[in-house]
Structure formats: structure tokens, C-alpha cells
Amino acid sequence: MKLFNIEEELDKLPNSPGVYIMHDENEAILYVGKAVNLHNRVRQYFRSGHGHNNSPKILKMVSKISYFEYIVTSSEMEALILECNLIKEHRPKYNTLMTDDKGYPYIRITINEDFPRIMMSHQMKRDKSLYFGPYTDGKAVHDIIALLKKLFKIRNCNKYIIDGKNQERPCLYNQIGMCSAPCSGNVSKDQYKEQINEAIRFLNGDTKSIESKLKDDMKKAAENMDFEAAAEYRDLIKSINSLNEKQRVNKVSSDDRDIIALARNEEDVVVSIFFIRDGALIGRENHHMTADESENDSDIITEFIKQYYIGTPFIPKEILTVIDINEYDLISDYLSERKGQKVIISTPQKGEKKGLIKLAEDNAKLVLAQDIERIKRLEKRTTGACQEIADILGIKSASRMEAYDISNISGYHSVASMVVFVDGKPKRNAYRKFRLKTVEGPDDYASMKEVLSRRFTNDTIGQYPDVIMMDGGKGQIHIAETVLSSLGIEIPVCGMVKDDNHRTRALLYNDQEISFKNGSEAINMITALQDETHRFAITYHKQIRSNEQVRSILDDIKGIGPARRKALLLYFKEVEAIKNASIEELASVEGMTEKAAIQVYNFFN
């Protein structure tokens, strides 16, 4: 890095809005801030007697600044958004931070399909599906989905079903009365659509009509002496009442609102946020934040709102806070712009709204007293472990890690796995499987070269990792470094060193073996990453072998080509069922003739 003359650079600062980034001598980011006027704001850090510079935290940060950079924006609003995104990405040491960022589950209904499915989704995509949420309680989402499937007999499978085209044998869910079996043609597209519409009405809050219908059904079943069915209707009614009870709260209006309060001691801050949707309390969250004692409650709540709502997909009409926030107009305008209508941020002083603030405040105090150690332990095992790895390797970040493994048996169908950990936790929707295309035989080095080349030349796989963990020694590391160098990509590459019991004990980086302290959370996380990578590769390899074995058996039957083989597997699911099928059952499969059915039957019998 070239020498940086702070005084000269201060004079060059423009009188424009933007974001400034403070770095230390190792180029690590110390602090990210925004300014209406970069020239005036950044200069304040290097001038004595300016309010915030009296803070011990700021004084310590300024003493470590080696250089700064800045990004000019067209408006203060744009600077706010950029500031929040940079803080979220880099998590600078001297910013007030949320330490337990998370996503929010939705209930997704695939209404674009002939026979829609209901499932949980952690993202709201533009895929023509219908989404409900976000919800804050994952378990409650699972409960609701299970209840909807049971109430309205919604299918539980992922089969591709076209109206009038599928004639499969119904599965167990149909036999126990939990699915209307559209796969077998038992229900038409229009009939099934009405089942889905009833589920949609339920999710929109119309539970009374459903409950009334169930009560009538229960009464009829009891009158007909069908007590087993009556008991089932009774249990369904209890499930609906239980869900409603969980959501019940005194209604102050039908609007959506979030309630935010905090509790703090000398070292820790907990921010509690309660979610009210259509007057019903649907959940709450508690966030541990890092903050300096010189930062007041308004500073902390302001930073929380900025970081929290930059990432959440849903913004309520009203946000109630325990204390007035800073930058009210700017934040309110930003949230209103994102929502598409006015968002009100207020601090109630009396009445029912004040009671809601008290509820959130009491909850924050309770968490601070009882759960802060648990939250901090979790943080240590995840983001703390990532930071430990970054520190010991001397790199900027290790929040996103990728690990690779090759699996083969004597060169038979070599496959590879790519596993991704983000902030110390598996990110399973980012995992990838590779079936080797150019390598024959058990050549792990050539296999790894192919896999890495495909991964880093495929733009659809996703963002690059902060560090790559190889399940191998210097040879694997060298292959990875060679591939990355040829593509002009700079990513640190480590090897996971195993002990005599095949457990990770150290990392190999820059030809040096790096050990960790006994009981280190970092080595525990690396071990988990290695185990998950190996498991994922072995599972994929077993799947490939199983599929090949199935194909080879069916290919030996005269008159059974690819189309009939596929039809048999779709219908019977497994070879064992095909072996046990009668000629009549085999002949009923689409595309099968009686002659072909006899060939299959004779082959196995």
C-alpha cells in the first residue's frame, strides 16, 4: 500500500454525500459511516473538541486509522443504504453491530402448478408462487403447514403432476386420508384448486368458517357412531384453536406494527422486537448487539433499525420504539420508499401502545438476565469461530467457507461435493454436486482441477468464498491455487490436516501448519465442515451407484427401452416393487404392453 498522508487527503474530500471507510495498517476495515458532507464529517475525526471524539471507543479507533477511503453518492438516502450494506458485509470492529442476523420463513403455495404444493421457504422469490409471511417462529410455520395439509388434503410430494396425465398408484398419505391423490386422477384440477383456495382463505385469517364446518362434520360423525372420525375432527378443531391462541393479543388496531425496546448492562445490549400483524402478536426476536458505554440508547436503537430493516423483506406500517431515534426523517423516508407507503416511527408516552413498549422492554430485560450467556456462546461457536480462523490466518474474513471432496471406489463414477458454511453454519441451499466429465479412473488431482474450474467459471453458482478448505494435503492445495491463478482469482486456500483418528487437528496454509488451542471453537467448526463435506460426497456417490445398478438390471430385459424403464421406475419407485408386481400391474403402466409386461415378469420370476 502506498504511503497515505491523512492531512493531504482530508483537503481533497468533496462537499458531497457519501460513505467513508476507515482502515488500519493491515487494511482491515475499522469503521464505516455515512455523511451528508464528506469533507466536514470525516475531518471531525482528526480534530479535537468535536463531540463524538471524546468517546474512548472513537479515540481508540482514530489512533488505529492508517488510511481512509470514501464513496460519493447522489443523495443521503443512497449513502444510508450503502452504509448499511457495507456494515452488514464487513462487520467493522468499531461499528455498533447486530451479532445474530437471521432470515425469516414464509409459507409458499405454488399456484402456478396444476396441483399446487404448500411448503416453507426462507426467501420470497419472483416465481409466480403465493407467499404468506414473513413469520418469526419456524416451528409455528411447520405446524401451520402440517395442519393445512391435514385439513385440506394437500399433496405432500414433489411429483410433477399434469391434470389428466398421471395415473399412479396413490401413496400412504392417501390411504390414511391426508391427501386427495391427484397423482392417481382421484381429484380433478378444479376440485383440487378449491382445496387450495380453502387453505388460502385459512391463511388470510378466515378460520371461523373452517372451524364451523369441522364442528358440523364432528357432530355428523358422532351421530353415525363413527367415533374415530369424530375424534379426528375434534383434534383438528383443537389444533386451530391452539394456533389462534398463540397469536392472540389485545388489538390496538388492525395495522401491522413492530415494537422495539432494549435492555443493557456494562457490557451487553439486548434489543427485543415484537411483531404484530393484523392486531395479532405473531412472534418476537431478541438481538444481542455490541455497543460502547459512550453510545446512548438512541444511538443503539437507530443502528438497530438501520441494520435490521435493510435486510428484512417485510416493513410494517408503524414502528414503536422505546426512545426517539436519530436521523428520523432520513430513516422514515427510506423505509417508506421501500414499503411504497408512509411508515411511521413513534415513541408512545401513554395508553395501549406504551403498554406494548413495556412488554418488549420487560422481555429484553429478561433475556439480558437469563439468556445473554447462551446467545454469546452461540455467537462464539459461529461468527466467533469464523473470526478466530480469519485472525489466525491473517485474512480479512472467513465468514463464507467452501470445502470440496472427491468420492470414488476404484475410480467408479468419481463425484465431488462442494459444501458451504456461512457465519459458521451450513448453508445447504448453496451446496453443489459434481459428476466428473473429463477424468477417468481414480485421479483425485485431475478430478479436483476439473471441479474447481467448473465452479469458478460458472456464474450461477454464487458468490466466491472468503477461504477455501481442501480435504487434502499440499497436492490438493497446489491444484486449487493453480486453478485460481489461471482464472485471475485471489482466494486463500487451506488444507484440513487430520490426526491418526482421521479427525481435523490443524490447517495447512502457505506451506505452514497452523494449530489451534485445545477445545477451540474454530477447530470444532472446521471439523464439522470436513465431516459434512465427506458425508455429502459419499451420499451423492451412493445415489449415483444405486441409479446405475437400477439401470443395468432393467436394461437386461428384452423389450424394455429408456422410455419404458423410466415409466416403470416412476410408477413403482424401486426395483423390488417391480420384481413383486403382477403382469396386470406391469401392463397398467403407461407405455407398457401385455407382451412387455410378460417379459418383465418372466425376467424376475
Side-chain angles (χ1 to χ4, degrees):
M1 186 188 72
K2 67 177 183 179
L3 291 176
F4 188 91
N5 187 309
I6 288 179
E7 288 299 326
E8 287 182 8
E9 297 302 324
L10 286 173
D11 290 336
K12 298 176 184 177
L13 285 164
N15 292 295
S16 307
V19 171
Y20 55 91
I21 306 165
M22 304 297 193
H23 294 263
D24 66 11
E25 60 183 6
N26 297 317
E27 302 189 21
I29 295 177
L30 297 169
Y31 187 82
V32 174
K34 68 161 182 61
V36 180
N37 186 309
L38 284 166
H39 184 272
N40 294 341
R41 184 72 178 92
V42 177
R43 291 174 68 88
Q44 289 179 0
Y45 285 95
F46 304 95
R47 301 287 184 267
S48 60
H50 284 278
H52 69 277
N53 283 359
N54 296 324
S55 159
K57 176 182 175 180
I58 296 297
L59 288 171
K60 187 175 182 181
M61 185 267 289
V62 171
S63 70
K64 295 184 176 184
I65 295 174
S66 179
Y67 71 101
F68 60 81
E69 57 181 320
Y70 55 89
I71 302 169
V72 175
T73 60
S74 58
S75 66
E76 188 182 6
M77 177 79 73
E78 190 177 314
L80 171 69
I81 297 168
L82 179 59
E83 176 198 31
C84 293
N85 284 326
L86 289 174
I87 291 172
K88 195 176 184 71
E89 178 181 356
H90 297 291
R91 306 188 68 80
K93 181 176 181 180
Y94 288 93
N95 281 94
T96 301
L97 297 174
M98 286 171 56
T99 62
D100 49 357
D101 192 17
K102 61 177 74 176
Y104 306 90
Y106 293 81
I107 292 175
R108 175 189 174 205
I109 303 181
T110 58
I111 56 174
N112 56 311
E113 297 177 342
D114 278 6
F115 294 91
R117 295 164 291 146
I118 299 179
M119 64 193 73
M120 176 190 278
S121 175
H122 288 281
Q123 289 180 309
M124 186 166 64
K125 301 176 181 177
R126 295 180 180 176
D127 57 3
K128 298 183 180 178
S129 293
L130 184 63
Y131 288 87
F132 292 86
Y135 298 90
T136 60
D137 186 341
K139 183 179 183 304
V141 172
H142 282 294
D143 291 344
I144 293 169
I145 291 173
L147 179 61
L148 290 174
K149 289 179 177 178
K150 194 172 184 179
L151 279 171
F152 307 114
K153 303 191 185 324
I154 307 300
R155 67 188 181 104
N156 202 51
C157 64
N158 294 322
K159 295 175 183 175
Y160 181 64
I161 303 175
I162 302 177
D163 191 21
K165 299 291 186 182
N166 297 70
Q167 293 294 325
E168 300 184 21
R169 185 166 56 188
C171 67
L172 178 63
Y173 285 99
N174 174 254
Q175 295 172 30
I176 61 176
M178 290 183 63
C179 176
S180 55
C183 61
S184 65
N186 283 4
V187 60
S188 71
K189 181 179 176 180
D190 290 339
Q191 289 169 324
Y192 189 88
K193 184 178 180 181
E194 182 52 36
Q195 295 170 211
I196 288 293
N197 288 338
E198 286 187 346
I200 291 171
R201 286 194 288 271
F202 183 95
L203 288 170
N204 281 325
D206 181 12
T207 61
K208 293 296 183 184
S209 60
I210 303 298
E211 189 177 345
S212 177
K213 181 179 180 299
L214 288 173
K215 285 179 178 178
D216 288 342
D217 292 340
M218 180 177 67
K219 184 178 178 181
K220 289 176 183 176
E223 289 172 352
N224 294 328
M225 309 292 275
D226 188 353
F227 299 115
E228 186 176 341
E232 184 177 343
Y233 290 130
R234 178 203 62 202
D235 292 341
L236 288 174
I237 293 167
K238 283 184 177 179
S239 296
I240 293 173
N241 290 334
S242 176
L243 284 172
N244 288 338
E245 190 63 36
K246 286 180 182 178
Q247 295 183 329
R248 194 164 291 133
V249 72
N250 289 333
K251 286 198 172 186
V252 292
S253 82
S254 61
D255 289 342
D256 301 327
R257 58 166 51 91
D258 290 352
I259 300 97
I260 303 173
L262 62 76
R264 63 189 301 185
N265 56 26
E266 293 80 7
E267 299 178 352
D268 301 296
V269 179
V270 170
V271 176
S272 278
I273 176 168
F274 279 69
F275 308 96
I276 292 180
R277 302 292 179 260
D278 193 26
L281 179 65
I282 68 165
R284 65 183 181 185
E285 288 179 3
N286 299 297
H287 295 266
H288 176 219
M289 297 191 70
T290 61
D292 184 76
E293 61 182 12
S294 62
E295 293 171 286
N296 59 40
D297 291 355
S298 292
D299 296 333
I300 295 169
I301 293 292
T302 301
E303 288 304 314
F304 174 82
I305 289 175
K306 286 160 63 175
Q307 293 177 48
Y308 182 83
Y309 290 106
I310 196 80
T312 183
F314 181 83
I315 296 173
K317 292 181 180 179
E318 185 177 20
I319 299 171
L320 308 181
T321 62
V322 70
I323 194 168
D324 292 336
I325 65 168
N326 308 325
E327 306 174 291
Y328 174 88
D329 291 339
L330 176 65
I331 294 173
S332 178
D333 289 347
Y334 165 67
L335 296 179
S336 299
E337 185 177 297
R338 273 201 63 199
K339 185 170 181 64
Q341 65 183 94
K342 181 67 176 176
V343 174
I344 299 170
I345 306 173
S346 63
T347 305
Q349 301 300 318
K350 60 183 180 180
E352 291 176 301
K353 291 183 179 181
K354 178 65 175 178
L356 291 172
I357 287 288
K358 180 69 164 52
L359 180 68
E361 199 169 20
D362 290 345
N363 181 76
K365 290 176 181 176
L366 187 64
V367 172
L368 186 65
Q370 296 180 351
D371 289 347
I372 192 66
E373 291 306 317
R374 177 186 58 80
I375 294 171
K376 290 165 78 171
R377 283 196 302 271
L378 178 62
E379 178 191 341
K380 185 178 179 182
R381 288 197 300 268
T382 54
T383 55
C386 292
Q387 189 58 53
E388 184 181 350
I389 292 168
D391 291 343
I392 202 167
L393 296 179
I395 60 178
K396 291 172 62 175
S397 172
S399 64
R400 184 183 176 97
M401 291 185 281
E402 288 181 5
Y404 299 84
D405 192 19
I406 304 292
S407 178
N408 63 65
I409 297 177
S410 301
Y412 178 83
H413 287 311
S414 291
V415 299
S417 66
M418 179 187 106
V419 165
V420 181
F421 272 32
V422 175
D423 290 334
K425 292 173 283 189
K427 186 176 178 64
R428 290 186 172 84
N429 63 356
Y431 288 12
R432 291 294 182 272
K433 303 170 183 176
F434 298 88
R435 190 166 181 177
L436 277 298
K437 298 178 179 178
T438 63
V439 181
E440 294 184 5
D443 189 338
D444 283 359
Y445 288 169
S447 298
M448 190 58 72
K449 183 177 181 180
E450 178 190 326
V451 168
L452 292 172
S453 298
R454 286 165 59 185
R455 186 268 180 262
F456 288 104
T457 55
N458 187 340
D459 294 334
T460 66
I461 289 182
Q463 70 183 84
Y464 289 169
D466 297 313
V467 62
I468 294 172
M469 297 287 182
M470 304 300 296
D471 189 35
K474 291 183 179 180
Q476 294 276 26
I477 295 172
H478 176 69
I479 290 293
E481 290 175 338
T482 301
V483 171
L484 293 172
S485 177
S486 69
L487 297 173
I489 299 170
E490 293 185 13
I491 300 174
V493 181
C494 295
M496 294 181 282
V497 182
K498 308 178 188 71
D499 61 19
D500 294 338
N501 296 317
H502 208 70
R503 301 292 292 174
T504 308
R505 63 173 177 81
L507 290 177
L508 191 62
Y509 181 57
N510 288 339
D511 291 329
Q512 299 291 321
E513 188 172 300
I514 299 173
S515 299
F516 293 81
K517 296 178 183 177
N518 290 334
S520 162
E521 294 292 355
I523 202 68
N524 290 339
M525 189 182 71
I526 293 168
T527 300
L529 175 63
Q530 185 179 44
D531 291 345
E532 178 70 353
T533 307
H534 188 60
R535 179 203 66 78
F536 192 54
I538 291 294
T539 301
Y540 182 41
H541 194 261
K542 285 180 179 177
Q543 176 189 336
I544 294 294
R545 292 204 316 272
S546 175
N547 290 343
E548 287 301 312
Q549 288 162 4
V550 167
R551 289 192 187 97
S552 65
I553 292 170
L554 297 181
D555 283 344
D556 288 339
I557 306 174
K558 186 178 179 180
I560 302 301
R564 284 175 175 167
R565 181 183 64 209
K566 182 178 180 181
L568 286 168
L569 288 172
L570 282 172
Y571 187 89
F572 290 102
K573 307 306 179 193
E574 55 186 22
V575 174
E576 195 63 30
I578 298 174
K579 286 181 182 179
N580 297 327
S582 66
I583 293 174
E584 290 75 16
E585 288 175 319
L586 292 166
S588 70
V589 176
E590 185 177 0
M592 290 288 290
T593 63
E594 184 177 358
K595 182 180 178 181
I598 292 171
Q599 293 278 20
V600 175
Y601 182 84
N602 289 340
F603 179 85
F604 287 116
N605 294 278

